[in-house]
Amino acid sequence: MGWAIALHGGAGDIPLSLPPERRLPREETLRRCLSHGVAALKANRTPLDVVELVVRELENCPYFNAGIGSVLTTNGTVEMEACIMDGNTKKCGAVSGLSTVVNAISLARLVMEKTPHIYLAFDGAESFAKEQGVETRDASHFITPENIERLTQAKAANRVQIDYTQPAPEKPLKESSCDSQIGTVGCVAVDGKGNLAAATSTGGLVNKMVGRIGDTPIIGAGTYANSLCAVSATGKGESIIRATVGRDVAALMEYKGLSLKDAAEYVVEHSPKGTAGLVAVSATGEVAMAFNTTGMFRACAKEDGTSEIGIWRSIENGDV
Ligand code: ASP
């Protein structure tokens, strides 16, 4: 038993050669967000508050694919999406198709708390944001030069790509402009009483069709929590939706009695290679961080004092 928290900044084909100037700011952000989450848990904030505040911070950071870092659709527009879920009550809220909302995760929470519904998208979600008075900016604010460059590269390669996809060898990234190492964000937390929550936020895939919805806001796919565990997934949305990744982790625990770690590894191993990663915590304070991609930006901490910040697989940086 005891509190635990885990967060991710996306899974994918993250090159082992990632230069320090691209790795260090992301590791630093993970470290800062982790310590804010830990401080909030120690201050007895609810897991729902903790996952929302951590994901808000990640959304405000341009190094990850959410909020201000959101990647672009094929039309060069931003369509952000997010989801939050409370384990004990199974209350949840989700949003998609946002182009002006600074913190999509907080709007998802408002959908959960202030409407009779679970999921609002596009114009309806934008109107609800205005009605609730959440912070918005002109849509152009979210269209950054780095993400215009990522879109240009994806179009040149004729690909809809997960943020970490490596460019084709004949079309290397321009060193001076941007890199492909940005990813969806998520956080899961449990308090000392076993209350659980999960939150995930993303700009989706680079060069995605206008109107495309990924796994992130889909309950049971990219985001899920019940009284046993909380899960936030990252990777190729279409694959994660087909595999119902979040719900499968919970179902293996519930129906087969698997530990969190075994359930998480089973689900990730049975997803197509290179498509899935997840962070999860259980009601008893276990943590799992599993991925079948080259890497996953991730961090976790537990009440017993153990913590980890990692990107690739290694003996020192293995799953907790
Ligand atoms: N899962 C996200 C999506 O498909 C992308 C990611 O995790 O980076 O929209």
Side-chain angles (χ1 to χ4, degrees), residues 106-152:
S106 295
L107 191 66
R109 183 160 179 184
L110 287 168
V111 172
M112 174 178 112
E113 289 177 343
K114 306 266 178 182
T115 79
H117 307 303
I118 287 176
Y119 195 169
L120 293 181
F122 296 93
D123 290 353
E126 286 284 345
S127 308
F128 177 65
K130 289 193 180 63
E131 189 190 302
Q132 292 295 314
V134 302
E135 191 185 353
T136 56
R137 300 291 293 266
D138 188 82
S140 60
H141 168 76
F142 299 92
I143 302 172
T144 63
E146 291 76 16
N147 280 319
I148 292 173
E149 179 61 26
R150 289 186 179 101
L151 178 62
T152 307

Side-chain angles (χ1 to χ4, degrees), residues 241-252:
I241 292 171
R242 285 187 191 102
T244 58
V245 163
R247 174 59 200 159
D248 266 19
V249 173
L252 285 169

Side-chain angles (χ1 to χ4, degrees), residues 207-222:
N207 201 20
K208 66 183 181 181
M209 285 174 71
V210 169
R212 179 261 188 188
I213 290 170
D215 60 299
T216 296
I218 307 287
I219 306 298

